[in-house]
Amino acid sequence: MVMNWNIHELTAMRAFSQNLGLQFRHDGLLNPRIDGYASPIDKLQLPDEQLAAIDLENSTFRKRLQDGVCSTLNDRPPATGDDQIYTCGAGMVTFNVDPYGRLQLCQLARRSFFDLQANSFVNGWIGFLSKIRSCSRSKSSACDHCTLLSHCLGCPGASELEHGDPEKPVARFCRLTHVRMQRLLGDIPGHLPDASCCLKQNAI
Ligand code: SF4
């Protein structure tokens, strides 16, 4: 994790990994603790511009993002009203088990859990996690029609940690998505660099 406290060590950390012949990947997106406590984030999270610049320094990542954006930016279909909340791999290709034997969707989405001390993993995987994954969105927000959705840094798990509601977007991830994409592509039709276009609609 790269943050205000260790940003001065990023170059050295990269070099250290390279010297070991290992790949290096940083992550600058901070989430609250699993009990929801979030107060250090405003001190630790790097400013949006700085974080976007660091993320895009990696030419491979930049190219992959750019290629992906070009193929999806203009063709996001309008929301149908029955979109699933979880569209990532959580509960489909990955899961989380905490130290108390509770099966959860992912490391972030932990509020709903299945007790593996009393039940089998198969029942949790097939029954419990499938049921959560099949939940449809019940609220509308700017995300429903956002052309940046495929590249958004937010996710339902982060929203659950931040707001206790997997459907409520996280403002700082929305802002950072806009800053990053603006930096990558320049002006984006329908969007403003400060994310006010979407934040106003999301009322966050
Ligand atoms: S959080 Fe913001 S950038 Fe992400 S999908 Fe929603 S509106 Fe778009």
Side-chain angles (χ1 to χ4, degrees), residues 13-14 16-26 60:
M13 286 191 279
R14 250 193 220 118
F16 178 71
S17 300
Q18 278 162 1
N19 285 340
L20 293 173
L22 300 172
Q23 288 191 336
F24 178 82
R25 189 176 77 85
H26 70 268
T60 311

Side-chain angles (χ1 to χ4, degrees), residues 3-105:
M3 53 192 115
N4 277 324
W5 282 352
N6 64 2
I7 181 64
H8 62 285
E9 296 176 319
L10 182 62
T11 305
M13 286 191 279
R14 250 193 220 118
F16 178 71
S17 300
Q18 278 162 1
N19 285 340
L20 293 173
L22 300 172
Q23 288 191 336
F24 178 82
R25 189 176 77 85
H26 70 268
D27 185 349
L29 300 178
L30 302 183
N31 288 293
R33 300 189 325 194
I34 56 173
D35 63 2
Y37 188 69
S39 80
I41 289 181
D42 52 349
K43 294 189 184 68
L44 299 180
Q45 177 94 51
L46 290 168
D48 295 344
E49 282 290 350
Q50 188 178 10
L51 189 50
I54 293 168
D55 289 347
L56 296 175
E57 267 173 13
N58 182 320
S59 55
T60 311
F61 171 75
R62 188 184 180 103
K63 172 94 175 48
R64 203 173 57 231
L65 187 61
Q66 204 149 24
D67 292 348
V69 170
C70 292
S71 63
T72 60
L73 198 55
N74 296 318
D75 59 5
R76 165 142 174 87
T80 59
D82 59 358
D83 296 31
Q84 289 181 317
I85 295 175
Y86 298 95
T87 55
C88 58
M92 194 156 65
V93 293
T94 61
F95 59 87
N96 186 64
V97 179
D98 76 6
Y100 305 99
R102 296 182 297 198
L103 176 67
Q104 297 144 334
L105 209 51

Side-chain angles (χ1 to χ4, degrees), residues 143 146 149 152 169 174 177-178 198 202:
C143 307
C146 180
L149 181 67
C152 182
C174 186
T177 300
H178 283 73
C198 296
N202 284 335

